[in-house]
């Protein structure tokens, strides 16, 4: 269905929130007023009260639309390519203090290497990063607990810092952990050339997911690794991967085929 520019903007921001929190397809979340209220409380903190009111009425109206099931998931941010990842490594290693280097390294490795969301990263502890059968594995806490093998070349760097920081691995001195600024401030304050790619947790997580899609990781396994509810939630990332399923029906069909 055709959407106004404002409706599309609101729906896109809501879709990003649902994907980040693993809340499933946008069309399903629109029918749940509790999800809408959670989005307004946690995903719109910087908005004025009247703007949040506009968002609420817009989302509830869209959720009641007969064709709400036709909404497409908002596109995921593009993954970093190989050259950009190399540049990010260089940026992290050239920060102005050992503390900044360590925090930026944890951010880079836990998001690009293990696909952690910001809240999951905030609660990562040293004991959650272990070596098992020759692999570095992260035990993710929170709403979607799971075990995630860390991709090379991020595994050893994350493990080394986790061994030194047995409490919280990311910004161990921070008193408040459930704030989006905990991660955002590190990204914003990274010293870098203006022409170089900016490190963001959203693009880093997209890179992790797109890597697994390109490598052919079974879809249900990837859904578990990413802390997602269903394979349809992978669609917004699959659109960035050549040869990946290009519709929710195709994702479901691929998952059934892989299960045989």
């Amino acid at each position: 269905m055709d959407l106004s520019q404002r409706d599309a903007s609101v729906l896109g921001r809501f879709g990003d929130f649902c994907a980040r929190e693993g809340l499933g397809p946008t069309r399903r979340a629109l029918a749940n007023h509790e999800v809408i209220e959670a989005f307004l409380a946690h995903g719109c903190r910087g908005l004025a009260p009247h703007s949040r009111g506009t968002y609420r009425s817009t989302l509830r109206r869209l959720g009641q639309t007969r064709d709400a099931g036709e909404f497409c998931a908002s596109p995921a941010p593009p993954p970093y390519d190989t050259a950009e990842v190399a540049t990010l490594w260089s940026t992290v290693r050239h920060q102005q203090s050992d503390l900044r280097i360590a925090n930026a390294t944890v951010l880079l490795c836990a998001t690009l290497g293990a696909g952690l969301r910001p809240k999951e990263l905030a609660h990562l502890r040293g004991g959650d990063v272990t070596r098992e059968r020759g692999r570095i594995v992260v035990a993710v806490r929170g709403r979607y607990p799971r075990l995630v093998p860390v991709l090379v070349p991020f595994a050893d760097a994350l493990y080394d810092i986790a061994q030194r920081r047995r409490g919280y691995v990311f910004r161990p001195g921070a008193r408040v952990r459930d704030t989006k600024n905990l991660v955002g401030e590190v990204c914003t304050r990274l010293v870098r050339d203006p022409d170089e790619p900016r490190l963001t947790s959203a693009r880093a997580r997209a890179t992790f997911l797109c890597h697994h899609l390109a490598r052919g990781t079974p879809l249900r396994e990837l859904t578990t690794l990413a802390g997602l509810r269903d394979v349809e939630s992978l669609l917004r990332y699959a659109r960035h991967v050549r040869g990946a399923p290009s519709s929710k029906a195709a994702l479901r069909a691929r998952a059934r085929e892989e299960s045989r």
Side-chain angles (χ1 to χ4, degrees):
M1 63 178 295
D2 294 330
L3 298 175
S4 69
Q5 184 175 359
R6 187 187 69 177
D7 286 357
S9 176
V10 172
L11 188 64
R13 185 165 180 170
F14 180 68
D16 286 341
F17 173 82
C18 292
R20 187 167 63 249
E21 299 298 327
L23 297 173
T26 303
R27 70 178 187 278
R28 185 183 303 164
L30 276 171
N32 190 326
H33 288 182
E34 291 183 0
V35 173
I36 292 176
E37 293 304 317
F39 164 67
L40 295 170
H42 302 290
C44 302
R45 288 177 178 172
L47 295 180
H50 71 273
S51 295
R52 290 198 296 271
T54 299
Y55 272 46
R56 178 184 288 107
S57 60
T58 298
L59 290 171
R60 289 189 174 183
R61 172 172 50 80
L62 292 174
Q64 294 170 357
T65 302
R66 184 175 60 182
D67 295 329
E70 298 302 318
F71 292 138
C72 295
S74 58
Y80 296 110
D81 61 29
T82 302
E84 288 176 320
V85 171
T87 299
L88 290 174
W89 269 117
S90 178
T91 296
V92 164
R93 289 167 175 162
H94 288 85
Q95 294 307 296
Q96 297 171 325
S97 70
D98 290 342
L99 179 61
R100 288 193 175 191
I101 291 173
N103 285 330
T105 299
V106 171
L107 172 56
L108 181 72
C109 294
T111 53
L112 267 162
L116 269 63
R117 301 179 178 89
K119 286 185 179 180
E120 295 168 343
L121 170 61
H123 290 276
L124 181 67
R125 291 179 174 271
D128 297 333
V129 185
T130 58
R131 190 183 298 275
E132 299 181 7
R133 299 179 181 179
R135 299 188 304 176
I136 306 301
V137 178
V138 170
V140 182
R141 299 170 179 263
R143 186 174 183 178
Y144 299 98
R146 58 197 187 276
L147 294 176
V148 184
V150 186
L151 299 174
V152 176
F154 309 102
D156 287 338
L158 181 60
Y159 181 77
D160 289 344
I161 295 177
Q163 292 301 295
R164 301 197 301 270
R165 295 179 169 181
R166 300 307 296 171
Y168 289 116
V169 180
F170 182 67
R171 300 187 68 177
R175 294 182 180 180
V176 180
R177 309 215 65 84
D178 289 318
T179 170
K180 61 182 179 181
N181 290 334
L182 193 73
V183 172
E185 286 175 352
V186 172
C187 295
T188 301
R189 294 175 182 176
L190 284 178
V191 178
R192 63 183 180 86
D193 188 295
D195 295 328
E196 293 177 349
R198 178 172 174 262
L199 176 59
T200 70
S201 58
R203 281 196 73 186
R205 177 171 162 82
T207 305
F208 170 82
L209 287 163
C210 289
H211 169 85
H212 276 284
L213 285 166
R215 193 170 68 176
T217 300
L219 297 181
R220 295 198 187 282
E221 177 184 337
L222 179 53
T223 300
T224 299
L225 291 178
L228 298 173
R229 289 186 174 182
D230 48 50
V231 295
E232 290 93 336
S233 300
L234 294 169
L235 179 60
R236 60 198 303 265
Y237 302 98
R239 288 169 174 159
H240 291 296
V241 180
R242 184 185 299 274
S246 58
S247 69
K248 293 181 179 181
L251 283 165
R252 291 192 295 268
R254 173 76 64 84
R256 287 195 299 270
E257 182 178 321
E258 292 170 343
S259 299
R260 292 174 182 171

